[in-house]
Every structure is written in structure tokens, then in C-alpha cells.
Amino acid sequence: MPSVVIVGAQWGDEAKAKVVDLFGTESDIVVRSQGGNNAGHTVVIGDNKFVLHLIPCGVLRKGVMSVIGNGVVVDPKHFFEEAADLEKRGVKVTPDRVLLSERAHVIMPWHKLLDTLSNKVGTTGRGIGPCYADKMTRVGLRVVDLLDPKQLRAKVEEALVEKNCLLEHLYKHAPLSADAIVKEFTGYAERLRPFVRDTQLYLAEAEAAGKHILFEAAQGTLLDIDHGTYPYVTSSNAAAFGACGGSGTSPKHIGRVIGVMKAYTTRVGSGPFPTELSGSDGERMRETGQEFGATTGRPRRCGWLDAVAGRYVGRLNAFDGLAVTKIDVLTGLDTLKICTAYKVNGKTVTEFPASLPDLEAAEPVYEEMPGWTEDISKARKLSDLPAAARAYLKRIEKFMAAPVIIVSVGPERDQTIRVERAERKKS
Ligand code: GDP
Ligand code: IMO
Ligand code: MG
């Protein structure tokens, strides 16, 4: 049974979690395969708002298994805090509902400290970058090492030789104690043990048994370590292909890739954002869209849609379908703008630049489309939307080179238009 990958098509916070939750009804397993608790995934169910950071959104659906794959970086303390929070609200986080890969890397106290002390790109400060850096330089500590007392002590002691040197001499920070860390993490190991599995094997068997597997990407394609706006990116592959390496799933087993795209653009933290709106226009979007970070509470930077970035993201992911979210936020704007090219030092550029100075210098060239004033939050069919909103969706389909299959008109589960094929043809 082919798997489905849900991917962010911008710089994160596209409302991926709402879309993952919608797909949850037809999934047996939901897998996170990259990132860590830098993510903030919001699902609104009636009066309840859940914000998940590390645990896959599948946990909110009964009968769905949630898997934290090998490509995720895991902060054990955070895992138990998030689990306790969910349990308090009636969501069971037990080993029959959540599994953790033995190969996932563990975020250690020095990762969090170094992330905060050396934060140059406006990270979430959760230790993500330093943990992935240690994974790549082959000095990281995996969940399987955490469960082995000898490995745990040896790896902590070895790491602290270098990390304490950095902390003390470069950052003038007190050194960390190996004994204290080993004690703390031995405690986590015992509590984590029941959740730990060979998740690659688990997923391969599930796939062979015809189970429906859904991959919940974190962040967005423009934050992808290889293809994003480097160095203002996160430290993992947030695009669709991250699902394979981060879970041990062959690309052969991926059936569909669904892109989630906000009807406008937001970005948290530093880095180039050619269509950013400053002043009152940006503020209006932030207020209407309630654009404040689900993880750090930081105000999100807001701007128009960017078809230059969109074409690039569409090509990278080869989306089978798009979920366009938060289109209700645009209601009341007279004119909507879509950036179709950049002017970079006097030259017109239509491909997304790799060069940071070029991206920083990029001035958007806009085309304009008429807006609408009707309340669309109760629309449940494409035909309930005003013609201007439908035209805007058509324009998105064109530059993303994929059909819109879902339109989200509010945070609630039922504030959703599922576009049927016949309806798509008619519109
Ligand atoms: P994610 O990280 O991609 O899962 O997205 P976030 O949860 O960080 O941010 C999306 C925010 O938009 C959340 O607060 C959602 O409840 C909210 N949301 C989702 N869909 C819609 C929508 O269609 N309209 C509006 N107004 N809000 C939405
Ligand atoms: P979700 O899954 C938006 C951003 C940070 C920073 C950069 C690097 O909710 O869409 P990191 O802590 O990952 O090293 O920070 O990436 N960032 C996100 N922005 N949504 C996210 O996740 C993000 N996760 C990381 O703000 O600019
Ligand atoms: Mg988010």
C-alpha cells in the first residue's frame, strides 16, 4: 500500500498538522522522520487545541500508531514532558501507541547550550543543529547507546572533553558534569526502553502487510538543509525525500506526496524573505492569521505568495496534490499579490537563487489579482468560494504544477474543502 508524505511547501508552519490530522482517518501509522522538538504542530479539535512538537500528530487519532523515526533528533526530557501534557488532556502516550527508533540521535544538554550560545540564524534553541552536527561527525549518541550503560558513560565522557573545552574557553560557561548527565540520562533510558523499537523493520513489515503509512514532515522545504535558504535553514531534509532516509523507507514505497501551502507566506527567525511585508500590511496579516510561533511564541514574519520559490519547491517535491491553508486570512484584502520574478541587481531572475547575497538583494516583481470580501470560513465546497478565491487557487496550481485537493478555511477539522476531481475540472 503506497505511503503518503505530507510536506511543508514554504518556511514551515503551513498548517501541516491540520492536514496530517485530516489524513489520519485513512492512516494506520503516522511517522515523523526528521527534525525534533523545534516543530510546533497545531491540531484543533472542537474546543481543544493541541500543539505537538516531537510526538507525531497521529497520537490524537485512536487506532493510529505514531512512529518517531531514525532521522529525528530526540530530547528525552522533552518527550516525557510532551507525553505528560498529552496524558493530562486524555491522550494516551504508551508504547502501544508511540514507538521510537533505536537509531534516532539524542539531544544532549551540551547541544541545547551550544545552540543557545552560538545562535546565529535565529534557531529555536532546542539543540537541533548541534545534535545533527554530531551525528554527521560521527560522535553522536543514539537511543540504542542511551540504553547501554557502558556506551552512555563512554560517549558522554568522550563528548565532554571537546564540549567543555568549547563551553569554558569560547563561551566562558561553566563546564558540564559527566556524572550528573549520566545519572539524569540513565533515568530517561529506563523510561524510554518500552517505546524503543527497530522502527525500520516495523515500518517495512507494516508496508508489506498493506498498512497505510503517512509521513508527517516538520519544517518546510525552504528550510531544508540541502535545498533551503542556506545557512538560514534547519539541519535536516524537510522536503519529501527526508521521509525515506529518516525512516528507512525505500522511495519505491512512497505513493503520493502532498504539499501544504499557506495562502500567503510566513517565516520565523532570520533569513531572506523576498516577499516580506513590512509595516501595517504585514502586521494585519500577522494579527488576522494569528501568526505567532507555536514553539517559541515569536511573531512570524508575513508576506505575499512567491511563485519563484513555489516553482522551485514544486519541482523538488513533485507534489501529487496541494493543500492550500488559511485562505480565510486573505478575506477583505482588495488586491492580492503574487511574486513572479525577482530583480537582482537590475537583472530579472525567475529561478530561485542559491546565492545568499542574491536572495537578500532580490526585489519581488508582482502580478496582482482581485481579492474578495465574503466570509469563506463556512465554505465546504469549492463552489462555495467566491470566484476571486477560486481564481487565486487556480493560479497557485499553475505555478506549483499540482492540483489543489484540499482547501482549509479555518483551523477546525470541518473547516475544510476536499476538492473532488469532477469539481476540479468544472472550476
Ligand atoms: P504546522 O507547523 O505546519 O503544523 O503549522 P502550525 O501549527 O505551526 O501553524 C498553523 C496555525 O494555523 C495553527 O494555529 C492552526 O490552528 C492554524 N490554522 C490551520 N489551518 C487554518 C486555516 O485554514 N485558517 C486559519 N485561520 N487558521 C488555520
Ligand atoms: P514546523 O514543523 C517554522 C526555523 C527556526 C530557525 C531555523 C533553524 O512547526 O513548521 P532550528 O531550531 O531548526 O535549528 O532553527 O528554522 N524553524 C521553523 N520555522 N516552523 C518550524 O517547524 C520550524 N522549525 C525550525 O525559526 O529560523
Ligand atoms: Mg509549526
Side-chain angles (χ1 to χ4, degrees), residues 12-18 40-42 44 49 288 294 300 325-329 408-411 415:
D13 302 326
E14 299 91 346
K16 297 176 290 296
K18 172 172 170 173
H41 293 171
T42 316
V44 178
K49 177 171 157 175
T288 321
R300 295 174 182 152
T325 61
K326 302 191 86 160
I327 191 164
D328 53 299
V329 174
S408 175
V409 293
Q415 291 185 295

Side-chain angles (χ1 to χ4, degrees), residues 11 222 229 265 267 271-278 301-306 308-309 339 341-344 352-353 356 358-366:
W11 277 288
L222 296 171
T229 47
T265 310
R267 172 161 209 173
F273 180 177
T275 61
E276 181 169 14
L277 279 169
S278 55
R301 300 155 64 195
C302 297
W304 297 116
L305 273 191
D306 183 340
V308 180
C339 165
Y342 301 146
K343 282 266 182 221
V344 179
F352 197 65
L356 182 65
D358 282 3
L359 264 175
E360 282 173 337
E363 290 170 35
V365 177
Y366 286 117

Side-chain angles (χ1 to χ4, degrees), residues 11-14 16 38-41 115 121-126 128-129 217-220 223 232-235 267-270 294-295 298:
W11 277 288
D13 302 326
E14 299 91 346
K16 297 176 290 296
N38 47 349
H41 293 171
D115 195 14
V121 303
T123 73
T124 58
R126 302 295 191 266
I128 308 297
Q219 291 79 51
L223 287 173
Y232 295 98
V233 291
T234 191
S235 300
R267 172 161 209 173
V268 199
S270 321
T295 296
R298 288 179 288 177

